[in-house]
Amino acid sequence: MTESATNAAQLEALVDSRKATLYQRSALFSLIALIVLCLLWETVLAPLRPGGSWLALKALPLLLPLSGIYKRNIYTMQWSSMVILLYFTEGVVRGSSDLLPLSRQLAWGEAGLVTLYFLASILYVRPYKKAAKALAKQALLKARQTPEATPQPQADTPT
């Protein structure tokens, strides 16, 4: 078993798998729901222009983290939780400024789904970060306890 696989197995052992599964599924559900909402909002329900608008393309970047979230990739959870905040901003701005009541409701729904995704992804990553920090601390303590194999300086001998 490689060192990275061993570290991953140690991390998994330190994390509550039931909670992790709940948070991962919540993040996945909210991301899929957000993609569907964005597409329906801008094409059918309340598009900016009759017949749909190009703003429906805003759903495309949401497809990028989908595979990583499904596979429980911690790195994907981290970066996507930051990118998703752009959608939160759009939801809040359009929720407070759009003229159509349906569009305002959809915008607040977008902000709600983004909040669910953000919380689920942060709660998913948090125990892994704590476990990694604990493992790193153990490794440092272990490294300090083992005698180093550094050569001792030799005394100068007169010739």
Side-chain angles (χ1 to χ4, degrees), residues 11 14-15 74-75 77-79 121-137:
L11 282 176
L14 295 172
V15 174
I74 294 172
Y75 181 71
M77 288 275 193
Q78 289 175 320
W79 70 259
S121 63
I122 295 300
L123 290 171
Y124 178 81
V125 169
R126 186 175 178 211
Y128 286 98
K129 288 292 194 179
K130 282 185 176 181
K133 196 173 191 179
L135 286 175
K137 188 175 183 179

Side-chain angles (χ1 to χ4, degrees), residues 33-110:
L34 185 60
I35 292 168
V36 170
L37 175 72
C38 287
L39 289 174
L40 289 177
W41 179 7
E42 301 301 341
T43 57
V44 178
L45 297 175
L48 290 176
R49 295 176 182 208
S53 74
W54 284 95
L55 204 51
L57 293 177
K58 71 181 180 184
L60 287 179
L62 295 172
L63 296 173
L64 296 174
L66 198 56
S67 174
I69 301 303
Y70 179 75
K71 294 176 184 175
R72 297 176 168 220
N73 187 315
I74 294 172
Y75 181 71
T76 302
M77 288 275 193
Q78 289 175 320
W79 70 259
S80 64
S81 69
M82 295 296 110
V83 171
I84 202 87
L85 295 177
L86 294 171
Y87 292 85
F88 178 79
T89 304
E90 183 209 18
V92 170
V93 168
R94 289 186 69 181
S96 60
S97 66
D98 272 6
L99 299 177
L100 294 174
L102 177 60
S103 187
R104 284 197 306 268
Q105 291 172 349
L106 292 170
W108 288 116
E110 177 182 39

